[in-house]
Amino acid sequence: MTQLTRREFVRYAGVGLGGPAIIGTNNVWPDDRAMARAETATESFVLLRREQQKRRSELPVSTALHRLPLSWYKTKARLLKEEARQRGVDGGILLTQRWNIIYATGLLHSTTERPFACFLPMDDDDGLIWLNPYLDQQLVNTWWASSSHAYFDYHHAAGSAPNDGQVIQGPTVNLYRWWGETLEGLGYGNTTIGIDSGAAVEIGVLPGQEDDGRLNLSGGFDRPGKHRPPSGKFGALASAMPRAQFVDVYDIMIRARIVKDEMENSLTQRAMDYFSEIHAFVRNYI
């Protein structure tokens, strides 16, 4: 039985399915002539321009920015803290969920098994305290940070700092308790901390709506009260802060993330414009 190369397999599969055959060697495909033809004002682009012109008054103006500026995030953080303050938060907001962190701070990062959190303190309008793995130390410090506190890895050995040449084999650190120990050491141990513990809102269920027949993010909901988490990662956090109180602010985050402002809409429109251009180009090329 003759073994097919990957290129031959793709070519024959394309012909067999009624699709275009991919022919030629690696140095001639993609074909430069086809690429140049796809970039010209052919029918796909004519159709796109016509639709854009027709709907121009309905769509947001596309921004020239490629991402939201740092000033936007600092303003957004102050607004989030103001709403949390009405819930009794006087220490700060501890964010632990990836999309909440990205939305409030603009730190575009990836989640791994390593716990990642940030703290927006109430006593500093532009303050941002990171509790991060050392892997992301440069990332947080080159974006926005008033201070950063890093552990080396997960699991992290107590007293170990391989990045500083200090390698210790010993008991591992409960990193969620370490969050609390760090905040306690920074002077927030006798305050009320906002936490994103109500993860059900991520799927559209606000506090008190658990038994409702449908999702309603604009409807009424129960306002979370102060408490001390008994278990889980927030329970470990609380165990290191015996005088602190905690209140869930996840619904504040999710409602802010859903209702876009003018700049967010403009950036979304730019992304959609790019998608439309790519779509027209690919349609031409194919």
Side-chain angles (χ1 to χ4, degrees), residues 113 115 154 174-181 232-234 236-238 240:
E113 74 281 2
Y154 182 80
N174 183 319
L175 293 171
Y176 305 119
R177 181 178 173 84
W178 172 74
W179 288 350
E181 292 170 345
K233 66 180 183 182
F234 293 109
L237 163 74

Side-chain angles (χ1 to χ4, degrees), residues 46-57:
V46 171
L47 178 63
L48 173 60
R49 302 289 178 253
R50 184 188 306 141
E51 187 67 17
Q52 286 175 329
Q53 185 64 32
K54 182 173 68 175
R55 299 193 59 197
R56 188 173 302 278
S57 62

Side-chain angles (χ1 to χ4, degrees), residues 183-226:
L183 294 178
E184 178 81 23
L186 291 172
Y188 297 100
N190 195 27
T191 64
T192 297
I193 307 294
I195 54 176
D196 54 353
S197 58
V201 299
E202 195 69 40
I203 58 173
V205 181
L206 293 181
Q209 295 183 353
E210 292 81 5
D211 296 326
D212 289 359
R214 64 185 181 89
L215 302 179
N216 186 5
L217 285 172
S218 61
F221 62 94
D222 294 340
R223 177 171 165 163
K226 297 180 182 181

Side-chain angles (χ1 to χ4, degrees), residues 13 17 25 63 67 91 100 106 108 145 185 193 237 251 259-260:
L17 293 174
T25 59
T63 182
R67 65 168 300 177
N100 288 338
L108 305 179
I193 307 294
L237 163 74
D251 62 289
V259 181
K260 307 300 184 186

Side-chain angles (χ1 to χ4, degrees), residues 32-244:
D32 289 341
R33 292 168 300 174
M35 295 285 284
R37 185 172 62 249
E39 294 174 354
T40 60
T42 52
E43 181 183 354
S44 295
F45 284 106
V46 171
L47 178 63
L48 173 60
R49 302 289 178 253
R50 184 188 306 141
E51 187 67 17
Q52 286 175 329
Q53 185 64 32
K54 182 173 68 175
R55 299 193 59 197
R56 188 173 302 278
S57 62
E58 304 173 18
L59 301 175
V61 176
S62 180
T63 182
L65 300 172
H66 71 283
R67 65 168 300 177
L68 294 170
L70 180 56
S71 58
W72 185 92
Y73 289 103
K74 289 187 175 182
T75 299
K76 179 60 65 175
R78 286 194 289 269
L79 293 174
L80 293 170
K81 288 194 288 187
E82 184 57 38
E83 191 166 354
R85 187 174 282 112
Q86 298 173 19
R87 200 162 287 184
V89 174
D90 59 2
I93 300 175
L94 180 70
L95 298 177
T96 66
Q97 201 271 353
R98 177 193 181 191
W99 297 117
N100 288 338
I101 294 172
I102 291 175
Y103 182 77
T105 71
L107 188 81
L108 305 179
H109 67 288
S110 297
T111 301
T112 69
E113 74 281 2
R114 303 170 182 88
F116 203 123
C118 71
F119 185 72
L120 297 166
M122 290 294 187
D123 56 1
D124 184 354
D125 283 346
D126 292 328
L128 179 56
I129 300 168
W130 291 99
L131 304 162
N132 57 277
Y134 187 76
L135 177 69
D136 299 289
Q137 185 74 346
Q138 186 177 17
L139 179 67
V140 301
N141 285 329
T142 54
W143 174 240
W144 169 24
S146 51
S147 67
S148 61
H149 305 265
Y151 62 93
F152 187 73
D153 206 349
Y154 182 80
H155 294 98
H156 177 74
S160 184
N163 47 295
D164 291 328
Q166 187 173 354
V167 179
I168 297 175
Q169 294 183 354
T172 57
V173 175
N174 183 319
L175 293 171
Y176 305 119
R177 181 178 173 84
W178 172 74
W179 288 350
E181 292 170 345
T182 304
L183 294 178
E184 178 81 23
L186 291 172
Y188 297 100
N190 195 27
T191 64
T192 297
I193 307 294
I195 54 176
D196 54 353
S197 58
V201 299
E202 195 69 40
I203 58 173
V205 181
L206 293 181
Q209 295 183 353
E210 292 81 5
D211 296 326
D212 289 359
R214 64 185 181 89
L215 302 179
N216 186 5
L217 285 172
S218 61
F221 62 94
D222 294 340
R223 177 171 165 163
K226 297 180 182 181
H227 68 293
R228 285 188 55 80
S231 60
K233 66 180 183 182
F234 293 109
L237 163 74
S239 68
M241 305 179 73
R243 300 171 298 159

